[in-house]
Amino acid sequence: MEDRAMQDDENARTGNQVQGAASFSKFMTVLQSIADAPRGLDIGQLTKSVPFPRGTVYRLVAALVAEQLVVHHREDGTYRLGPRLLQLAAKTWESSDLRTVAREFLVSLRDATDEVVHLAVPSSNRMVYIDKIEGSNTVQMKTSIGGQVELHSTSVGKAWLSGLSDDRLNEVLGQLTLRRHTEKTYTDPDRLRKELIKSRERGYAFDDEENEPDIRCVGSPIFDRSGEPVGAISVSMPVYRHDPERHAKIASLVFKTAKDITAKLAVII
């Protein structure tokens, strides 16, 4: 009798674990669907993107909102990633090997340029800033640690893309929506591909007011020991502090810094 009771307890625990895992999987499916949508999803779009009944989606979203993992933007009815999730992600980035390895190099780059320096990594066909160091010169930019930007319109995104193999580059470009941010944003896939090949050949990418007006950025990719791009760094500056001579100097510094980080990663990771 005792053995049977123990077996029944074990079966109950196993059943609860399976049920719990299934519920967790549903939450993760909804969360991933929201994360993959740059502009968020309203409830109708979300219901179409996940294999659950509308009522289940409502309950899952309500629970995610209650835990601040998702926020509801009332102005357009969309759901997007919430502050708690970004806080949890920031904890991971703080202990990231790449962020730790790159930090001293980023500080040196900031000191050499006195401009804003960024470190970003790819996430769901976007780039996420995992570090940002300000220079003494003020630059009004829409960037922050944890912020996401698109691949095609930023120097970190274009730098990362330029580090991909041709096959992988074509695959990723086929998934992108080349949304226009300024008059200079690349919205034609063929023109963008040519620019990325040029970036690959010279070792750095250039954002010429393509993401924000009056802001120019120079970025270079960081590679792991297998030669895969794992992130990118950039220096950003206002147009009035950018000229051909300064461009050449900063491009050289960014390229060298990315190479130094790549070399350090190969030894440590």
Side-chain angles (χ1 to χ4, degrees):
M1 290 290 292
E2 184 177 348
D3 290 344
R4 182 171 181 179
M6 292 177 62
Q7 184 62 50
D8 288 343
D9 287 344
E10 179 63 25
N11 289 339
R13 282 197 298 272
T14 303
N16 288 337
Q17 289 170 357
V18 172
Q19 184 177 4
S23 297
F24 181 74
S25 178
K26 289 180 180 179
F27 279 111
M28 289 305 299
T29 298
V30 170
L31 197 58
Q32 187 65 57
S33 185
I34 293 172
D36 289 342
R39 304 181 191 178
L41 298 172
D42 61 31
I43 197 67
Q45 294 168 325
L46 189 53
T47 301
K48 292 178 181 178
S49 70
V50 296
F52 311 131
R54 192 180 186 90
T56 300
V57 175
Y58 269 113
R59 288 193 295 274
L60 294 171
V61 170
L64 290 170
V65 170
E67 294 296 331
Q68 294 186 309
L69 296 173
V70 166
V71 293
H72 184 217
H73 290 254
R74 297 186 182 279
E75 60 272 16
D76 60 5
T78 60
Y79 292 91
R80 304 178 193 178
L81 297 184
R84 187 177 178 189
L85 187 64
L86 296 177
Q87 290 166 6
L88 292 172
K91 295 294 184 183
T92 301
W93 298 328
E94 287 173 3
S95 60
S96 161
D97 287 330
L98 175 56
R99 188 176 189 271
T100 301
V101 168
R103 184 70 185 191
E104 62 176 301
F105 297 101
L106 299 182
V107 170
S108 295
L109 182 59
R110 187 276 314 274
D111 291 345
T113 62
D114 201 21
E115 300 288 1
V116 179
V117 174
H118 293 97
L119 172 65
V121 294
S123 175
S124 300
N125 283 340
R126 294 169 74 81
M127 297 296 285
V128 178
Y129 292 120
I130 63 172
D131 207 351
K132 176 182 180 179
I133 306 177
E134 302 273 3
S136 64
N137 293 313
T138 302
V139 181
Q140 297 297 325
M141 296 185 64
K142 306 172 186 175
T143 60
S144 60
I145 296 177
Q148 298 184 48
V149 291
E150 294 184 90
L151 296 175
H152 70 287
S153 60
T154 59
S155 67
V156 287
K158 289 161 68 179
W160 180 78
L161 286 170
S162 73
L164 298 174
S165 66
D166 288 337
D167 288 344
R168 178 67 177 134
L169 176 59
N170 289 333
E171 178 186 345
V172 174
L173 288 181
Q175 299 169 358
L176 298 183
T177 298
L178 305 184
R179 191 159 61 99
R180 182 178 297 281
H181 296 278
T182 73
E183 292 181 355
K184 295 186 176 182
T185 305
Y186 284 90
T187 57
D188 178 81
D190 291 332
R191 288 190 62 228
L192 176 60
R193 186 181 287 102
K194 290 177 181 177
E195 174 64 16
L196 294 174
I197 298 302
K198 187 187 300 183
S199 299
R200 181 192 295 170
E201 292 171 349
R202 67 192 177 197
Y204 68 87
F206 181 44
D207 162 13
D208 183 14
E209 301 181 77
E210 296 159 38
N211 196 62
E212 295 184 47
D214 303 319
I215 297 294
R216 288 175 176 162
C217 309
V218 179
S220 284
I222 299 168
F223 299 90
D224 62 18
R225 65 174 62 191
S226 67
E228 289 294 315
V230 293
I233 60 170
S234 70
V235 169
S236 303
M237 72 213 83
V239 170
Y240 71 85
R241 284 205 297 268
H242 179 269
D243 57 48
E245 182 179 350
R246 199 153 190 262
H247 176 89
K249 176 185 176 182
I250 289 178
S252 176
L253 287 169
V254 170
F255 176 66
K256 182 181 183 303
T257 301
K259 284 190 66 175
D260 289 344
I261 296 172
T262 295
K264 189 74 174 285
L265 278 178
V267 174
I268 295 178
I269 301 179

